[in-house]
Amino acid sequence: MSVGVLAHLFGKMSYQELAAKVGGKGFSHVQLALWKAFNNYDFSKPGVLSPGLAEDVREVFSKHNVSISVLACYLHFFHEDVNVRRENIERFKELIRHARFFGAPMVAAEVGKMNTQKLTGDEWLILKTSLEELVEEAEKWGVYIGIEPANDHLIGTAASLKRMLDEVPSSHIGVVLDPGNLVHKDNFAHQDEVIQEAFDLLGSRIIAAHAKDRIINKDGEIETVVPGKGDLNYELYMTLLEQYKPQVKIIMEKAKEHQMTEAKSYIEKVREEARVKASVRSVLSH
């Protein structure tokens, strides 16, 4: 069991500096979004990556005892502008082709927010077609595509992701689960049911997990806070994670540098308690 971190939480800098910072905080792995984390090169367009560059990044992080568990790709895959959509797909495919040189088993994404364009009704089919193209590339290179359902995205619920998994039936698509992205102000009081449903529908397909916390603020709006400082049912989350996917990599979100050590310890504590309880139940059942 290990808790990693979003690399860009440390800010944007050279990968040499970033690797040292991540290792210095005691994290053993990162979720890495190149253009959000590094300023060595311009990764905003496809074409910059090479096996040599990817291997150098991997080696630099390895010197600080940090691996790259997830390559992240915050891009829009049903964008109304076909040229933007094509560039986004090519950027994702470039990451797929280079993932093994980074040492990453997966490239993960949220699929795109619905409020960024005027909806026509064709979005689901466009997204499905984009994913089918990405899956074909992933299957060639032996890499997972990780899809994260998130509020306000076209795939915004566990049920909508389950539908897409059924429609694009590839073993190279997995789930990046973050219950914090499935709760909102209207369902937060029923978060246990939301979390349970996510595992019921997607548990067997989880390949990575995210950790942030959520609260309903004084204005009645949902707000993201540091893990352990909110009201998300972490005990249930970690119990189900241990049940469905023991040892899956967890990536911590939403923490400033001075908050990271405490937040990491909190996640590890709750997960270890879930593991111990699961072991006790297993012994008693036999």
Side-chain angles (χ1 to χ4, degrees):
M1 183 273 287
S2 61
V3 176
V5 67
L6 295 179
H8 59 269
L9 290 185
F10 291 88
K12 192 171 186 178
M13 61 196 73
S14 72
Y15 58 83
Q16 293 86 353
E17 293 173 285
L18 186 54
K21 278 183 170 286
V22 174
K25 283 292 181 182
F27 291 103
S28 61
H29 63 95
V30 294
Q31 175 170 309
L32 176 62
L34 298 177
W35 45 88
K36 292 173 74 75
F38 297 159
N39 63 9
N40 304 67
Y41 307 102
D42 181 9
F43 293 105
S44 63
K45 303 283 184 182
V48 173
L49 273 180
S50 68
L53 176 55
E55 287 178 339
D56 193 54
V57 172
R58 178 182 183 176
E59 290 169 5
V60 168
F61 273 78
S62 182
K63 288 176 182 176
H64 296 278
N65 300 310
V66 181
S67 65
I68 299 166
S69 54
V70 182
L71 282 178
C73 195
Y74 299 91
L75 296 171
H76 197 300
F77 297 114
F78 59 95
H79 199 284
E80 58 192 337
D81 186 325
V82 66
N83 293 319
V84 172
R85 190 165 75 242
R86 171 46 49 193
E87 182 174 291
N88 289 347
I89 290 171
E90 292 305 324
R91 289 171 76 183
F92 197 102
K93 288 168 76 171
E94 183 176 51
L95 291 178
I96 289 172
R97 291 192 297 272
H98 290 85
R100 64 174 178 172
F101 302 106
F102 283 102
M106 69 190 78
V107 183
E110 297 168 346
V111 299
K113 289 188 175 183
M114 294 185 292
N115 59 6
T116 58
Q117 65 186 65
K118 184 177 179 181
L119 300 181
T120 65
D122 297 325
E123 287 76 21
W124 186 266
L125 180 58
I126 293 170
L127 174 60
K128 178 183 174 182
T129 302
S130 296
L131 289 176
E132 286 172 337
E133 181 176 346
L134 294 174
V135 163
E136 183 179 358
E137 192 77 4
E139 289 174 344
K140 290 177 184 176
W141 292 88
V143 174
Y144 279 115
I145 292 174
I147 300 179
E148 181 180 355
N151 290 323
D152 300 324
H153 287 67
L154 187 55
I155 294 181
T157 64
S160 60
L161 179 49
K162 177 63 166 61
R163 175 189 168 193
M164 185 60 79
L165 292 175
D166 289 342
E167 292 186 17
V168 186
S170 172
S171 60
H172 282 262
I173 301 181
V175 174
V176 178
L177 187 65
D178 182 353
N181 277 350
L182 299 177
V183 294
H184 46 76
K185 65 179 181 180
D186 296 324
N187 70 7
F188 199 70
H190 308 287
Q191 60 165 292
D192 288 6
E193 291 92 333
V194 174
I195 295 170
Q196 184 66 60
E197 179 190 47
F199 279 91
D200 289 344
L201 295 177
L202 306 171
S204 65
R205 302 290 294 273
I206 294 170
I207 55 176
H210 283 174
K212 58 173 169 277
D213 217 331
R214 301 283 241 169
I215 59 169
I216 300 295
N217 64 26
K218 57 182 174 55
D219 298 320
E221 299 297 325
I222 196 158
E223 187 177 320
T224 302
V225 295
V226 180
K229 302 298 183 182
D231 297 318
L232 197 68
N233 189 343
Y234 258 85
E235 182 178 355
L236 176 61
Y237 179 28
M238 292 294 123
T239 296
L240 291 171
L241 205 56
E242 181 64 28
Q243 176 186 334
Y244 279 84
K245 291 293 177 179
Q247 302 301 331
V248 72
K249 296 287 180 70
I250 297 175
I251 296 103
M252 189 180 76
E253 298 187 13
K254 190 59 182 180
K256 298 185 183 301
E257 283 191 57
H258 70 276
Q259 301 168 316
M260 288 179 176
T261 301
E262 182 183 0
K264 179 174 180 286
S265 296
Y266 169 76
I267 299 166
E268 291 171 338
K269 175 178 176 289
V270 179
R271 190 170 188 187
E272 179 60 20
E273 289 172 351
R275 188 196 66 78
V276 170
K277 289 178 181 178
S279 297
V280 171
R281 284 195 300 268
S282 178
V283 170
L284 292 177
S285 66
H286 290 85

